Amino acid sequence: MSRIDNNAFFADFNSLVDLKRQAQQDPDAALKQVAQEFEAIFINMMFKNMRQANENIGGGIFDSAQTKQYTEMMDSQMAQSLANAGGIGLAESLVRQLQGQGVASSDGQGSGLDSALSDVSFLRNIPTLNTEQLQAVAKKAANELAQAATNSASRSIQASDVAFESPDSFVEGLWPYAQQAGEKLGVDPKAILAQAALETGWGKYPMAKSDGSPSYNVFGIKADQRWSGDRALVNTVEYRDGVAQQEKAAFRAYDSFAQSFDDYADFLKASERYQNALEVGDNAAMFAAYLQKGGYATDPEYADKISNILSSKWFKSLL
């Protein structure tokens, strides 16, 4: 059975005609190939819709009929390459459905658009549809997927989305920021990262704002009168006369982990209370001890907890 060459460019919906012919000739043997071809057409249709949306907003100063033609060719080739590389899972889903491994397939052979859209064995309906119907199906599917992607992107990120699954991922994700802050302060970056690990439970419990979005505050810096930015009002444990008690306090909120580390460095440099800590910054244990002495935290075991984290296996491999 002939198949559209992997390196060939799709030209609008001409390939749908070949797709229809392949399904008619040998639908069982061509199942995977036909599904992959349809996914390529589907992806290409998404590209077309996105390009058209941009054109409706207004084209660029270098746009022309020639650049549009080559852009379409590039999109078509990209769609084919994506489908060949695994695509977005549409081909695999179609194969599973047709083979009965997913949702039970229908035996109906309706030729209408609504029937094709509702029939999970869509490939069985390909021989019954004309090019216009196939075009409408692909366009509808592309629009729905684009809308779903837009809805997903517009969903506000939640604190749980930035939580780290393990100490390994925490160290890997935040170590570069600790190194930058350490260089800025003249402090061992391991001490900085260990403090962040203590404040956030190795990143498993990120501080959230009232709407559930992340504050990215990994050092527990509170929002006092010196802070004019966003805030996160959360419950915290403070030690009063050596006794732990629950309190609600406002903490600084940032737009990223990078901002949190930058503000942490500025916070320490701007305060006289932590100058002794910065002077011994190359000694991680002493740095933690002087932070506690300077009043960074009310926990009487704050420095010891940081030292314990520093001696953990996750820090021994850090240079």
Side-chain angles (χ1 to χ4, degrees), residues 177 180 216 255-263:
Y177 301 126
Q180 294 173 6
Y216 295 101
D255 294 328
S256 66
F257 287 125
Q259 285 188 6
S260 180
F261 278 85
D262 286 341
D263 186 60

Coordinates of all heavy atoms in Angstrom, one line a residue, residues 177 180 216 255-263:
Y177 N 20.1 29.0 42.0 CA 19.7 30.2 42.6 C 20.5 30.4 43.9 O 20.9 31.6 44.2 CB 18.2 30.3 42.9 CG 17.3 30.1 41.7 CD1 16.3 29.1 41.7 CD2 17.4 30.9 40.6 CE1 15.5 28.9 40.6 CE2 16.6 30.7 39.5 CZ 15.7 29.7 39.5 OH 14.8 29.5 38.4
Q180 N 24.0 31.7 43.0 CA 24.0 33.1 42.7 C 23.9 34.0 43.9 O 24.6 35.0 44.0 CB 22.8 33.4 41.7 CG 22.9 32.7 40.3 CD 21.7 32.9 39.5 OE1 20.8 33.6 39.8 NE2 21.7 32.2 38.3
Y216 N 6.3 31.9 46.3 CA 7.7 31.6 46.0 C 8.6 32.1 47.1 O 9.8 32.2 46.9 CB 8.1 32.3 44.7 CG 7.4 31.8 43.4 CD1 6.3 32.5 42.9 CD2 7.7 30.6 42.8 CE1 5.6 32.0 41.8 CE2 7.1 30.1 41.7 CZ 6.0 30.8 41.2 OH 5.4 30.3 40.1
D255 N 7.3 36.7 42.3 CA 6.8 36.2 41.1 C 7.6 34.9 40.6 O 7.2 34.3 39.7 CB 6.9 37.2 39.9 CG 6.0 38.4 40.2 OD1 4.9 38.2 40.8 OD2 6.3 39.5 39.8
S256 N 8.7 34.6 41.3 CA 9.5 33.5 41.0 C 10.4 33.1 42.1 O 10.6 33.9 43.0 CB 10.3 33.8 39.7 OG 11.2 34.8 39.9
F257 N 11.0 32.0 42.0 CA 12.0 31.6 43.0 C 13.2 32.5 42.9 O 13.9 32.8 43.9 CB 12.4 30.1 42.7 CG 11.4 29.1 43.2 CD1 10.9 28.2 42.3 CD2 10.9 29.1 44.5 CE1 9.9 27.2 42.7 CE2 9.9 28.2 44.8 CZ 9.4 27.3 43.9
A258 N 13.6 32.9 41.6 CA 14.7 33.7 41.4 C 14.6 35.0 42.2 O 15.5 35.5 42.9 CB 14.9 34.0 39.9
Q259 N 13.4 35.6 42.2 CA 13.1 36.8 42.9 C 13.2 36.6 44.4 O 13.7 37.5 45.2 CB 11.7 37.4 42.6 CG 11.6 38.0 41.3 CD 10.3 38.7 41.1 OE1 9.5 38.8 42.0 NE2 10.0 39.2 39.9
S260 N 12.8 35.4 44.9 CA 12.9 35.1 46.3 C 14.4 35.1 46.8 O 14.7 35.7 47.8 CB 12.2 33.8 46.6 OG 12.3 33.5 48.0
F261 N 15.2 34.5 46.0 CA 16.6 34.4 46.4 C 17.3 35.8 46.3 O 18.1 36.1 47.1 CB 17.4 33.4 45.5 CG 17.2 32.0 45.9 CD1 16.1 31.2 45.5 CD2 18.2 31.4 46.7 CE1 15.9 29.9 45.9 CE2 18.0 30.0 47.1 CZ 16.9 29.3 46.7
D262 N 16.9 36.5 45.3 CA 17.5 37.9 45.1 C 17.1 38.8 46.3 O 17.9 39.5 46.9 CB 17.0 38.5 43.8 CG 17.7 38.0 42.6 OD1 18.7 37.3 42.8 OD2 17.1 38.1 41.5
D263 N 15.8 38.7 46.7 CA 15.4 39.5 47.8 C 16.0 39.1 49.1 O 16.3 39.9 50.0 CB 13.8 39.5 47.9 CG 13.3 40.4 49.0 OD1 13.5 41.7 48.8 OD2 12.6 40.0 49.9

